[in-house]
Amino acid sequence: MFTAEQTKKFKAQLYGIYDELRLNSKETEQEIWWPTPFYISLDEYEFRESYDLFNGNCGIVLFFLKLYQFDGDADHLRIVNKAMYRILNADAVLNPKSFALYTGLGGVIYTCLKVFEATGNGFYKKKALELTLKNQRQLTTGLLKTDLLSGYSGNLLMLTLLYNHTADVKVLKMVNFLVDRLITEARISEQGLKWDYSSSKKAYDSMTGFSHGASGIAWVFMQVGRYFNAAGLIYLAEEALKYEMQYFHIPAKNWLDLRLGPHRLNKPDVHEWNLQTFLPEMTDVNAWAHGAAGIGMSRQIALDLTKEKQYNEDCKNALERCLNDLEKLDRNDFTLVSGYCGMIPFLFNCETESQIVVILDTARKLHQKTRSFNTYVSCGVDDYGLLSGKAGIGYIILAILMGQSSDNILAPELPKNSKKSDLEDIYSEIQVKKSIFSKYYARTLGKLKNFPVFEDKDINDFKIRLQSEISKIQSNEIVAAFNLENELVDLWKEHKGYFSFEQKQKHLLKKAEESLIFTDQYLIEQFFRLSRHVKLYLPNKLKESEILLLVSNKNGIEEVQVGVFATMILNAIGKKELKVGELLQSFIPIFFSGEPSAKSLFELKDKVMQQIRLLIKAGFIEIDS
């Protein structure tokens, strides 16, 4: 694959990194470790100690472990054992506060398993199981995020690997729990399914990408689904990838980076939550963590598992974007997480040897000049971490020299498994679809005595078949439940998650506060409309006095019942934008049979204005400006 001369250069670069790591290690008779830079201000950092995979000592252990597997030098294994001795006896591991795969205890357990696999030393398997059982709750329910890097899906992959080596029943229950949690937390979108829509993520919608988004979650589903031969998990993976395709930007040949930091939110009309507002800054990122390179890896395994042509097209697009970026090679970042070296696992499978050579040679030159592989951060000189620093460059060179395009820290794989598992039936495609679809049509299905198996492709096809079944029954009660749930399904598809409504509600609150300062006379002359996150639903179109407000908010969709008088106002405003004065005039023939007295008109006006102010305060209506 690579020439003898290229291989020689790779080795020289590899052992240069090894020398630097050894030179900067701290060693005692029993222990060895590397200080980790931590920022204490924007540009100032201090040294602490981290045990995670991302930039801490577990990641560096994986470098030395792979180096031992490559050249067989027993001294590398000595370093691994001494480093693990310190890690496993550290207070941060004995009393952990972080539990994710790449950023917490999950990574320590994963490292133990990798050392066990490489050496056969049962001590590390025992420690992995011990740490897991001691921290069962935190490793499963304790993580708010779903993603691969910092969420519980990463731990699902790790726990499945642990189960493979131990066959421990408690570990299998943890695997079971996390799969159930993923199914429970799956949310429909305009296409596909998504996760991570809570307050833990600040993004336009559930994120794309490998580290924090849909591709990484899909990767875990495919690995675990293949391991347990559970077709339902492969289905969930494909639904995650289908969701992600909503944000494929054809002109850029890239998937949008949906993260929204303060700089992206400092734009006019942010509360409208229009994708075009943010689009110019969402197309540029391409690395393992976010963008085409990482997403391409998920499509490669999806293509291998399903043979679907669409994934082949996705791979071509991802490769085209990577090659375009490598022609420019205009960023001084070669780290695994955010730089060019993180592209290598994807490129390796695309047989692009010349580009890999260019990446590593340019990385070498940057390091010679700056002593760093990422000049965008001031700590790059002192960062020896796996994903964030120097160990990662050595690690990826080892992967190349060993011919490993997968089962590395950027593409963690599970071993083949030929044993029959109960999970194969529990998470069959039909069972998983039943769990997803029935969540959105629970009331309708509850009123149907029997319903055929859940074989539909997605929620849209399920809706069509459900409607067909209902038409055979002629039940007004079932039709009413179905119609309401259809409205809710449409709103769920449009919902962009907690963060979008947090921004919208900030605007609404400010606007409501401004409106409530105005006098009644001023408000009477204003046009009002329903707020955009509010939808009127008439259960019975012949009874306009009975309405339900379907209110989209930070936590989802809420069904709100309102009083008769509020219903009259909302119904009128819902039909067309109205001035309050016009609303008052329309109420006169309803409340009075003849000409009302001045006192009666004043009382009606007062009652209407009180209700208008309450509806403004609740955020249900707003001045049309």
Side-chain angles (χ1 to χ4, degrees):
M1 187 175 181
F2 294 99
T3 67
E5 184 62 28
Q6 288 168 343
T7 301
K8 182 179 177 181
K9 287 183 178 179
F10 289 162
K11 287 182 179 179
Q13 190 173 0
L14 165 66
Y15 286 106
I17 292 169
Y18 161 79
D19 288 340
E20 188 173 354
L21 283 166
R22 288 295 286 117
L23 182 65
N24 289 280
S25 63
K26 308 291 183 183
E27 189 168 5
T28 66
E29 188 175 337
Q30 286 187 307
E31 302 174 333
I32 190 169
W33 72 97
W34 287 261
T36 307
F38 278 81
Y39 278 97
I40 54 176
S41 66
L42 193 61
D43 291 312
E44 186 182 2
Y45 61 91
E46 65 183 17
F47 291 102
R48 301 179 192 172
E49 199 168 346
S50 167
Y51 300 100
D52 64 35
L53 287 174
F54 188 88
N55 66 346
N57 282 275
C58 274
I60 298 172
V61 164
L62 290 186
F63 164 73
F64 279 96
L65 185 66
K66 195 170 281 290
L67 188 57
Y68 166 71
Q69 291 173 294
F70 173 66
D71 65 15
D73 189 335
D75 190 61
H76 305 326
L77 190 56
R78 179 188 68 84
I79 292 170
V80 167
N81 286 322
K82 290 184 74 172
M84 290 304 294
Y85 179 85
R86 184 176 180 87
I87 289 167
L88 293 173
N89 287 284
D91 183 66
V93 173
L94 297 175
N95 300 289
K97 295 180 180 177
S98 301
F99 298 91
L101 177 58
Y102 288 83
T103 58
L105 184 68
V108 177
I109 298 167
Y110 179 83
T111 304
C112 284
L113 292 172
K114 287 297 165 182
V115 178
F116 166 69
E117 288 177 354
T119 66
N121 187 340
F123 167 79
Y124 290 106
K125 180 172 74 170
K126 181 182 176 182
K127 290 303 292 186
L129 183 59
E130 180 185 306
L131 287 169
T132 298
L133 297 182
K134 181 184 174 184
N135 297 278
Q136 289 182 63
R137 184 183 63 80
Q138 296 92 330
L139 289 165
T140 52
T141 62
L143 292 163
L144 293 177
K145 298 176 183 177
T146 312
D147 68 56
L148 173 70
L149 190 140
S150 57
Y152 66 85
S153 70
N155 280 353
L156 172 58
L157 189 144
M158 175 273 292
L159 289 167
T160 306
L161 182 63
L162 178 60
Y163 175 71
N164 176 74
H165 290 306
T166 64
D168 188 272
V169 175
K170 290 181 180 177
V171 174
L172 184 60
K173 285 182 179 178
M174 293 171 74
V175 169
N176 218 132
F177 176 87
L178 285 181
V179 174
D180 285 345
R181 184 178 172 187
L182 278 160
I183 293 170
T184 299
E185 293 181 10
R187 180 180 285 183
I188 56 173
S189 181
E190 291 175 16
Q191 63 183 52
L193 296 170
K194 63 184 181 182
W195 288 262
D196 266 347
Y197 38 74
S198 71
S199 59
S200 63
K201 289 287 179 76
K202 290 179 169 55
Y204 174 80
D205 198 352
S206 294
M207 287 169 61
T208 64
F210 203 85
S211 65
H212 292 296
S215 273
I217 295 168
W219 178 274
V220 173
F221 274 133
M222 287 185 279
Q223 291 294 331
V224 177
R226 181 169 62 181
Y227 180 85
F228 288 112
N229 194 30
L233 303 190
I234 306 300
Y235 167 76
L236 290 174
E238 292 203 80
E239 287 295 294
L241 299 182
K242 190 187 296 183
Y243 162 78
E244 193 170 51
M245 285 307 295
Q246 291 178 91
Y247 295 109
F248 177 68
H249 189 59
I250 295 173
K253 297 288 184 184
N254 201 8
W255 287 259
L256 299 180
D257 174 13
L258 300 177
R259 291 173 295 173
L260 292 177
H263 65 291
R264 289 186 179 178
L265 293 172
N266 190 24
K267 295 174 181 289
D269 299 325
V270 163
H271 65 278
E272 298 285 352
W273 218 246
N274 188 331
L275 185 61
Q276 296 301 318
T277 303
F278 311 106
L279 189 62
E281 296 174 326
M282 287 182 164
T283 62
D284 294 337
V285 179
N286 179 22
W288 171 79
H290 306 277
I295 289 170
M297 292 196 309
S298 70
R299 297 321 194 268
Q300 286 173 334
I301 185 177
L303 178 62
D304 182 55
L305 283 174
T306 69
K307 314 305 180 193
E308 288 289 334
K309 292 180 181 178
Q310 176 59 49
Y311 300 131
N312 190 43
E313 290 302 310
D314 295 344
C315 289
K316 288 178 181 177
N317 286 324
L319 179 59
E320 184 176 342
R321 174 61 195 233
C322 288
L323 295 179
N324 287 341
D325 287 347
L326 291 173
E327 279 185 16
K328 294 180 284 187
L329 211 63
D330 56 0
R331 298 181 65 248
N332 286 341
D333 183 357
F334 289 84
T335 60
L336 297 191
V337 65
S338 57
Y340 293 112
C341 285
M343 294 182 179
I344 289 176
F346 172 65
L347 295 172
F348 194 89
N349 283 326
C350 298
E351 299 181 355
T352 52
E353 294 90 340
S354 60
Q355 282 77 17
I356 293 172
V357 170
V358 169
I359 290 172
L360 290 174
D361 192 49
T362 311
R364 177 184 59 80
K365 290 174 182 175
L366 178 67
H367 184 261
Q368 283 180 341
K369 184 178 179 181
T370 66
R371 293 179 49 239
S372 173
F373 289 108
N374 182 4
T375 61
Y376 295 108
V377 291
S378 56
C379 71
V381 172
D382 296 312
D383 192 336
Y384 302 101
L386 188 63
L387 269 74
S388 60
K390 299 178 182 182
I393 314 305
Y395 182 92
I396 209 67
I397 293 172
L398 282 165
I400 293 167
L401 292 171
M402 297 168 75
Q404 294 176 334
S405 61
S406 58
D407 195 22
N408 56 64
I409 196 60
L410 299 185
E413 286 196 342
L414 292 171
K416 297 284 191 296
N417 173 39
S418 57
K419 297 177 183 177
K420 171 73 176 175
S421 165
D422 290 342
L423 272 62
E424 182 176 336
D425 297 323
I426 294 171
Y427 301 119
S428 68
E429 188 169 334
I430 286 175
Q431 288 300 323
V432 168
K433 286 178 176 178
K434 181 179 180 180
S435 297
I436 301 292
F437 301 161
S438 60
K439 177 168 60 176
Y440 291 97
Y441 287 98
R443 282 172 275 199
T444 304
L445 292 170
K447 296 178 187 301
L448 285 171
K449 291 183 179 179
N450 296 298
F451 190 74
V453 292
F454 293 74
E455 294 179 330
D456 307 281
K457 183 180 179 182
D458 55 28
I459 194 80
N460 300 316
D461 287 354
F462 178 75
K463 168 189 167 180
I464 293 168
R465 190 161 67 90
L466 185 57
Q467 191 169 24
S468 175
E469 292 294 323
I470 291 170
S471 67
K472 301 172 186 175
I473 299 171
Q474 299 296 316
S475 165
N476 291 335
E477 186 183 9
I478 295 175
V479 168
F482 177 72
N483 288 341
L484 172 57
E485 288 182 315
N486 268 341
E487 293 287 344
L488 291 167
V489 161
D490 289 341
L491 291 174
W492 279 117
K493 287 179 181 178
E494 296 170 3
H495 200 288
K496 296 294 187 287
Y498 183 99
F499 192 58
S500 68
F501 282 94
E502 185 176 60
Q503 303 308 306
K504 291 177 183 180
Q505 285 177 9
K506 283 179 184 176
H507 172 78
L508 270 175
L509 181 61
K510 181 182 177 184
K511 197 169 180 181
E513 288 173 348
E514 291 171 352
S515 298
L516 291 171
I517 294 171
F518 295 131
T519 64
D520 286 356
Q521 192 55 47
Y522 177 85
L523 292 177
I524 283 174
E525 295 301 318
Q526 304 308 305
F527 282 98
F528 278 84
R529 68 181 182 199
L530 289 178
S531 297
R532 289 188 175 90
H533 68 294
V534 175
K535 183 168 186 177
L536 291 185
Y537 179 71
L538 294 173
N540 186 339
K541 289 183 170 54
L542 299 177
K543 293 184 179 180
E544 292 193 356
S545 60
E546 298 177 9
I547 69 165
L548 195 61
L549 289 187
L550 306 181
V551 182
S552 300
N553 58 34
K554 292 185 286 189
N555 298 312
I557 315 295
E558 187 178 359
E559 298 171 36
V560 179
Q561 291 183 320
V562 293
V564 175
F565 195 55
T567 294
M568 293 175 66
I569 294 173
L570 291 167
N571 251 329
I573 293 175
K575 289 175 182 175
K576 65 173 184 176
E577 293 173 5
L578 281 177
K579 285 185 178 181
V580 178
E582 294 173 324
L583 185 66
L584 275 166
Q585 289 300 314
S586 70
F587 281 175
I588 290 174
I590 297 173
F591 286 97
F592 305 105
S593 56
E595 188 68 28
S597 66
K599 180 183 177 185
S600 297
L601 278 176
F602 178 82
E603 289 174 349
L604 176 61
K605 174 188 168 185
D606 187 56
K607 187 176 181 182
V608 168
M609 290 312 303
Q610 286 183 39
Q611 192 65 61
I612 288 288
R613 288 182 179 277
L614 286 172
L615 292 172
I616 292 171
K617 188 175 181 180
F620 295 160
I621 62 173
E622 58 186 84
I623 294 174
D624 185 20
S625 54

